[in-house]
Amino acid sequence: MNWQKFHKRIQGLKGWRGGAFILALAERAVPNAQLYFSAQESAAGTWPSPEDLAARVDSVWQHLIAKPNEEELILLLDQVTDWIPDTDEDAPYGAFPTADCLELMEQALLSGINQEQARAVAASQRSMATITQFLEVSEGDGLSEDELIKLFDRHPLMQREYSFQEELCDLLRTANSPADKLLTELRTLARDEGVSNIGISLDTD
């Protein structure tokens, strides 16, 4: 995998395309956050319900891509950042992919408020890092650094993530405008049949 070439392609996603790329990464990670927040029974009322989080993602797509509205983006930014959990050394593992998801959403919102700063490559790397951390926690016990690198490179979750980002990048690079049809395609791709970037699904069927 030529990461340098791949990152160069992502760097070419400017303006609304860069924001849509980041937001799609965030939406794909939403099941991670929904699972974590659902488990925080002792903090009921503090964290969003799965429905609240899904509704907030809908709002970000609307005000960032479909009908840009900076005033609404600022309000959404305050709400999203309030939900980011602490990730200190005592935090449960679930707080980390949840923070990654919400920080991706934060970066998507910031891309609409300040388009001068390129954020897509860092977002790509953040989503990849969510997966490597998950693999290290779930399958990396006792592995050497070299063995971990091989695990990351060959693991189906990482290969799936790369394929997802590549398809997302291709879709955005060839798009002329954020029309309704494109937004439907982007969100269908991002939702990935309800399976997150680390393989979590809330579908009980």
Side-chain angles (χ1 to χ4, degrees):
M1 186 183 303
N2 188 329
W3 289 107
Q4 186 174 4
K5 183 177 179 181
F6 181 58
H7 288 159
K8 188 173 181 179
R9 293 180 63 215
I10 295 174
Q11 283 176 336
L13 298 175
K14 307 294 184 183
W16 67 267
R17 291 176 179 83
F21 179 84
I22 301 168
L23 185 52
L25 295 179
E27 180 154 26
R28 188 157 178 262
V30 160
N32 303 336
Q34 290 175 320
L35 180 63
Y36 173 75
F37 288 137
S38 295
Q40 306 307 300
E41 296 178 3
S42 61
T46 301
W47 302 116
S49 68
E51 294 76 18
D52 289 337
L53 189 53
R56 202 66 75 242
V57 175
D58 290 343
S59 295
V60 180
W61 278 107
Q62 175 69 16
H63 297 301
L64 177 65
I65 308 298
K67 295 181 180 179
N69 184 322
E70 185 171 325
E71 185 175 331
E72 290 292 337
L73 293 181
I74 292 170
L75 293 174
L76 286 164
L77 184 62
D78 288 339
Q79 295 166 359
V80 167
T81 54
D82 281 346
W83 288 344
I84 298 175
D86 290 332
T87 52
D88 57 34
E89 61 182 16
D90 296 324
Y93 166 73
F96 292 88
T98 299
D100 287 343
C101 170
L102 293 172
E103 286 170 7
L104 284 170
M105 204 179 304
E106 177 188 24
Q107 289 303 306
L109 288 163
L110 288 171
S111 76
I113 297 168
N114 175 15
Q115 296 188 7
E116 297 300 316
Q117 183 176 342
R119 305 173 190 274
V121 170
S124 167
Q125 294 171 329
R126 169 62 67 91
S127 188
M128 296 282 190
T130 303
I131 299 168
T132 58
Q133 184 183 49
F134 171 73
L135 293 176
E136 188 168 2
V137 169
S138 62
E139 301 182 29
D141 188 35
L143 297 184
S144 67
E145 185 173 345
D146 286 345
E147 289 169 332
L148 280 173
I149 291 171
K150 289 178 181 178
L151 172 67
F152 300 155
D153 286 344
R154 299 172 182 174
H155 201 281
L157 286 177
M158 187 61 74
Q159 293 173 357
R160 183 166 156 264
E161 175 72 9
Y162 175 74
S163 295
F164 165 75
Q165 291 197 21
E166 190 172 41
E167 186 175 355
L168 178 60
C169 186
D170 288 344
L171 188 58
L172 286 164
R173 282 166 61 90
T174 58
N176 293 319
S177 65
D180 290 345
K181 181 181 178 182
L182 175 66
L183 295 182
T184 298
E185 288 183 79
L186 289 172
R187 298 199 68 185
T188 299
L189 180 62
R191 287 168 177 165
D192 202 7
E193 299 182 343
V195 181
S196 80
N197 55 348
I198 57 174
I200 286 175
S201 173
L202 303 185
D203 188 353
T204 57
D205 294 337

